[in-house]
Amino acid sequence: DGGVTVRVDPAPGFTALAKDLVLQHHGVPLLIGNPKNPNKNPAAERAMQELSSELVTLLLRVVRFPL
């Protein structure tokens, strides 16, 4: 068939398009990704993991050694 499927992340702006009448009329289905899917963007997911870890470490230092 060679049809088109549009893959999007689960952001509210994209999930609202799932019921878009124009897209449905033209037979364009949306494939909405799962939140927290590490395969979606592994570089971004890893960066978020590292940032979270650093924030926890920083918070522990602040709590143990208040200024």
Side-chain angles (χ1 to χ4, degrees):
D1 176 34
V4 173
T5 299
V6 178
R7 295 177 60 191
V8 295
D9 66 29
F14 292 131
T15 55
L17 291 174
K19 297 179 182 177
D20 187 80
L21 296 178
V22 175
L23 292 175
Q24 290 176 3
H25 174 74
H26 291 287
V28 179
L30 291 182
L31 179 59
I32 299 173
N34 295 323
K36 299 284 186 178
N37 180 355
N39 294 324
K40 181 174 53 183
N41 187 342
E45 292 294 330
R46 180 69 182 151
M48 290 304 298
Q49 213 173 33
E50 290 178 12
L51 176 62
S52 297
S53 176
E54 289 295 323
L55 289 174
V56 167
T57 301
L58 179 63
L59 179 62
L60 289 174
R61 287 182 186 164
V62 170
V63 169
R64 289 183 186 163
F65 303 107
L67 297 176

